[in-house]
Amino acid sequence: SFLHNWAREWFEYFPNPPVSLLATVSHLVKSRDPGLAAKFRHFGWSIGEVAWQLMSSGFSTVFSRNSWLQLFDHIFVNDTAWYEMFTVSFLLCTRKALLAIETTDELELFLRSETTVGVAR
């Protein structure tokens, strides 16, 4: 099936999140943007937990319908690692908004609000 072939790693630790996948995302964010990683640490937020909220919802909470459909076009035609790299890119592209967040409530609102990050390419 599609899920078995494409998202096999997602089910390694089911019902828990995919630890190795989230560790990769976390490592990449930390190495590309130590300041953003420090912000997450300062508030006790795990990069993996934030990434998992986005990934497990398929980014449906932060994109308009059309942007979400474009995203899934990319997901279906690219290698599984593409989704991990997109997640890292999304966090880095929304850096300014993430750095402005001061509370967990604001973070939760951010994770449920539509963004203007483009996915056309």
Side-chain angles (χ1 to χ4, degrees), residues 43-94:
F43 283 99
W45 304 330
S46 159
I47 294 170
E49 290 170 341
V50 172
W52 183 239
Q53 285 189 41
L54 294 164
M55 296 174 82
S56 64
S57 71
F59 285 82
S60 65
T61 58
V62 294
F63 285 123
S64 68
R65 181 181 186 277
N66 287 339
S67 293
W68 184 83
L69 290 171
Q70 288 177 335
L71 172 63
F72 267 76
D73 284 347
H74 291 296
I75 290 170
F76 289 138
V77 300
N78 286 294
D79 185 79
T80 56
W82 189 90
Y83 196 45
E84 295 171 45
M85 297 306 111
F86 178 80
T87 303
V88 171
S89 297
F90 179 85
L91 292 171
L92 298 178
C93 287
T94 57

Side-chain angles (χ1 to χ4, degrees), residues 18-30 84-85 88:
V19 176
S20 58
L21 182 145
L22 296 177
T24 299
V25 170
S26 183
H27 172 73
L28 289 170
V29 170
K30 287 176 186 175
E84 295 171 45
M85 297 306 111
V88 171

